[in-house]
Amino acid sequence: MGSVLAQYFIPLATSGFFSSCYCAGTEARMALISSLPVDTHVHFYPGFSIDCCLTSAASHMAAVPGSDKRGVLCLVENAGLNVFDTLTGRYGRWTVSETPEAVVRQALRADGTRLLLVAGRQTVTSEALEVLLIGFRGMIPNGLPLAEVIERGLEAEALVVLPWGVGKWTGARGARIDWCIEQGVPRTSVFLADNGVRPALMPRPTRLARAEALGWRVLAGTDPLPLPQGDRDPGRFGIVLGGISTGDLTFRAIAAQLRACAASPETYGQLASGRQFLRRQVAMQIRKRRG
């Protein structure tokens, strides 16, 4: 397994090909968005109001200075769900339509607010690790080896993300993550990610800082839970990109900037309070026991 996975990492001694996360070398054809908020871990679960998801995201992202009523939601769907393909038409004050990119929908509101919805998948590997494939519209089953999931994502030109989760990087799973981190700098489309489920009172996982010191880039996303009022969470926590032209607000441009990042992008938003975290964890345990 190790030898198969190793091909997706670049030895530390040969790393150094990354450029700045702010792609200042390209001339903007139109005005630049100085701060583009991107939530890299979004779910629209059954029972969620699409209108509420979009409105909440717009409100959270509007708090980012310089966002100019723009934002990006990366919709990473679990096995058996396919909400993205149904996202067209009116949702309250929002109009959702297709774009020239097959993996992107555009949500517009009358006040000029514009959100990009990027297709993606969340899968669980045979090692019990969660992996996000952003910019991926195909189906991928749970239970595949991590190496195969990464390969499928890269073949589809998706961004491959290994998100931290409460209790999900422990034991054998934590050992596998440690092995990946210690292999060196990942290929340009492979990332780690922090998670908005983490309570503010919990320190940032030390693994993420250690990975950054070795050249990994760490993204961030909300990861809404399938609970009542979970549709208020999209857009609450994520990363901020800069220097993307308003005339080229596409997944292609966003992915290119992330692939070129020399370091982790800045984050925005708020983590859950301790009380919110405990309440949600109890609710999730009750939900699991009820099936």
Side-chain angles (χ1 to χ4, degrees), residues 1 7 14 18 89 106 110 138 253 268 289:
M1 166 61 109
Q7 67 182 303
T14 60
F18 294 114
Q106 176 178 255
Y268 78 91
R289 291 175 184 175

PDB file of all heavy atoms in Angstrom, residues 1 7 14 18 89 106 110 138 253 268 289:
ATOM      1  N   MET A   1       0.832  -1.211   0.000  1.00  0.00           N
ATOM      2  CA  MET A   1       0.000   0.000   0.000  1.00  0.00           C
ATOM      3  C   MET A   1       0.860   1.251   0.000  1.00  0.00           C
ATOM      4  O   MET A   1       0.634   2.193  -0.744  1.00  0.00           O
ATOM      5  CB  MET A   1      -0.925  -0.019   1.225  1.00  0.00           C
ATOM      6  CG  MET A   1      -1.587   1.320   1.521  1.00  0.00           C
ATOM      7  SD  MET A   1      -2.615   1.895   0.194  1.00  0.00           S
ATOM      8  CE  MET A   1      -4.193   1.680   0.932  1.00  0.00           C
ATOM      9  N   GLN A   7       3.614   7.386  -4.834  1.00  0.00           N
ATOM     10  CA  GLN A   7       3.706   8.075  -6.118  1.00  0.00           C
ATOM     11  C   GLN A   7       2.978   9.409  -6.112  1.00  0.00           C
ATOM     12  O   GLN A   7       3.188  10.248  -6.988  1.00  0.00           O
ATOM     13  CB  GLN A   7       3.146   7.183  -7.229  1.00  0.00           C
ATOM     14  CG  GLN A   7       1.642   6.937  -7.108  1.00  0.00           C
ATOM     15  CD  GLN A   7       1.108   6.021  -8.178  1.00  0.00           C
ATOM     16  OE1 GLN A   7       1.266   6.300  -9.360  1.00  0.00           O
ATOM     17  NE2 GLN A   7       0.489   4.924  -7.772  1.00  0.00           N
ATOM     18  N   THR A  14      13.178  17.481  -3.185  1.00  0.00           N
ATOM     19  CA  THR A  14      12.968  17.957  -4.548  1.00  0.00           C
ATOM     20  C   THR A  14      11.791  18.903  -4.649  1.00  0.00           C
ATOM     21  O   THR A  14      11.402  19.299  -5.734  1.00  0.00           O
ATOM     22  CB  THR A  14      12.726  16.765  -5.496  1.00  0.00           C
ATOM     23  OG1 THR A  14      11.560  16.057  -5.060  1.00  0.00           O
ATOM     24  CG2 THR A  14      13.921  15.836  -5.505  1.00  0.00           C
ATOM     25  N   PHE A  18       6.210  25.144  -6.052  1.00  0.00           N
ATOM     26  CA  PHE A  18       4.988  25.909  -5.845  1.00  0.00           C
ATOM     27  C   PHE A  18       5.264  27.407  -5.950  1.00  0.00           C
ATOM     28  O   PHE A  18       6.313  27.898  -5.549  1.00  0.00           O
ATOM     29  CB  PHE A  18       4.401  25.622  -4.453  1.00  0.00           C
ATOM     30  CG  PHE A  18       3.919  24.213  -4.294  1.00  0.00           C
ATOM     31  CD1 PHE A  18       4.539  23.359  -3.411  1.00  0.00           C
ATOM     32  CD2 PHE A  18       2.857  23.739  -5.033  1.00  0.00           C
ATOM     33  CE1 PHE A  18       4.107  22.063  -3.252  1.00  0.00           C
ATOM     34  CE2 PHE A  18       2.409  22.452  -4.878  1.00  0.00           C
ATOM     35  CZ  PHE A  18       3.040  21.607  -3.987  1.00  0.00           C
ATOM     36  N   GLY A  89     -33.230  26.393 -11.462  1.00  0.00           N
ATOM     37  CA  GLY A  89     -34.524  27.023 -11.234  1.00  0.00           C
ATOM     38  C   GLY A  89     -34.503  27.998 -10.078  1.00  0.00           C
ATOM     39  O   GLY A  89     -33.448  28.488  -9.657  1.00  0.00           O
ATOM     40  N   GLN A 106     -24.405  28.270 -11.054  1.00  0.00           N
ATOM     41  CA  GLN A 106     -24.342  29.656 -10.589  1.00  0.00           C
ATOM     42  C   GLN A 106     -25.651  30.018  -9.913  1.00  0.00           C
ATOM     43  O   GLN A 106     -26.730  29.765 -10.459  1.00  0.00           O
ATOM     44  CB  GLN A 106     -24.098  30.585 -11.767  1.00  0.00           C
ATOM     45  CG  GLN A 106     -24.115  32.059 -11.406  1.00  0.00           C
ATOM     46  CD  GLN A 106     -23.829  32.935 -12.611  1.00  0.00           C
ATOM     47  OE1 GLN A 106     -22.755  33.470 -12.756  1.00  0.00           O
ATOM     48  NE2 GLN A 106     -24.802  33.076 -13.500  1.00  0.00           N
ATOM     49  N   ALA A 110     -31.243  38.872  -6.749  1.00  0.00           N
ATOM     50  CA  ALA A 110     -31.573  40.137  -7.400  1.00  0.00           C
ATOM     51  C   ALA A 110     -30.659  41.283  -6.980  1.00  0.00           C
ATOM     52  O   ALA A 110     -30.454  42.233  -7.736  1.00  0.00           O
ATOM     53  CB  ALA A 110     -33.035  40.504  -7.129  1.00  0.00           C
ATOM     54  N   GLY A 138     -18.616  12.654 -11.140  1.00  0.00           N
ATOM     55  CA  GLY A 138     -18.928  11.240 -11.295  1.00  0.00           C
ATOM     56  C   GLY A 138     -19.352  10.606  -9.982  1.00  0.00           C
ATOM     57  O   GLY A 138     -19.458  11.260  -8.946  1.00  0.00           O
ATOM     58  N   ALA A 253     -10.282  28.580 -12.702  1.00  0.00           N
ATOM     59  CA  ALA A 253      -9.406  29.620 -12.150  1.00  0.00           C
ATOM     60  C   ALA A 253      -9.135  29.389 -10.664  1.00  0.00           C
ATOM     61  O   ALA A 253      -8.009  29.582 -10.188  1.00  0.00           O
ATOM     62  CB  ALA A 253     -10.036  30.990 -12.367  1.00  0.00           C
ATOM     63  N   TYR A 268     -11.406  32.160   6.976  1.00  0.00           N
ATOM     64  CA  TYR A 268     -12.367  33.149   7.453  1.00  0.00           C
ATOM     65  C   TYR A 268     -13.447  32.418   8.241  1.00  0.00           C
ATOM     66  O   TYR A 268     -13.585  31.193   8.164  1.00  0.00           O
ATOM     67  CB  TYR A 268     -13.015  33.910   6.288  1.00  0.00           C
ATOM     68  CG  TYR A 268     -14.093  33.101   5.593  1.00  0.00           C
ATOM     69  CD1 TYR A 268     -15.426  33.184   5.997  1.00  0.00           C
ATOM     70  CD2 TYR A 268     -13.781  32.227   4.551  1.00  0.00           C
ATOM     71  CE1 TYR A 268     -16.414  32.428   5.386  1.00  0.00           C
ATOM     72  CE2 TYR A 268     -14.758  31.472   3.934  1.00  0.00           C
ATOM     73  CZ  TYR A 268     -16.078  31.570   4.359  1.00  0.00           C
ATOM     74  OH  TYR A 268     -17.050  30.804   3.764  1.00  0.00           O
ATOM     75  N   ARG A 289     -28.286   6.249  16.512  1.00  0.00           N
ATOM     76  CA  ARG A 289     -28.930   5.148  17.220  1.00  0.00           C
ATOM     77  C   ARG A 289     -30.334   4.881  16.701  1.00  0.00           C
ATOM     78  O   ARG A 289     -30.796   3.750  16.695  1.00  0.00           O
ATOM     79  CB  ARG A 289     -28.974   5.456  18.711  1.00  0.00           C
ATOM     80  CG  ARG A 289     -27.593   5.422  19.368  1.00  0.00           C
ATOM     81  CD  ARG A 289     -27.622   5.837  20.807  1.00  0.00           C
ATOM     82  NE  ARG A 289     -26.274   5.878  21.363  1.00  0.00           N
ATOM     83  CZ  ARG A 289     -25.990   6.308  22.590  1.00  0.00           C
ATOM     84  NH1 ARG A 289     -26.971   6.746  23.374  1.00  0.00           N
ATOM     85  NH2 ARG A 289     -24.747   6.306  23.024  1.00  0.00           N
TER      86      ARG A 289
END
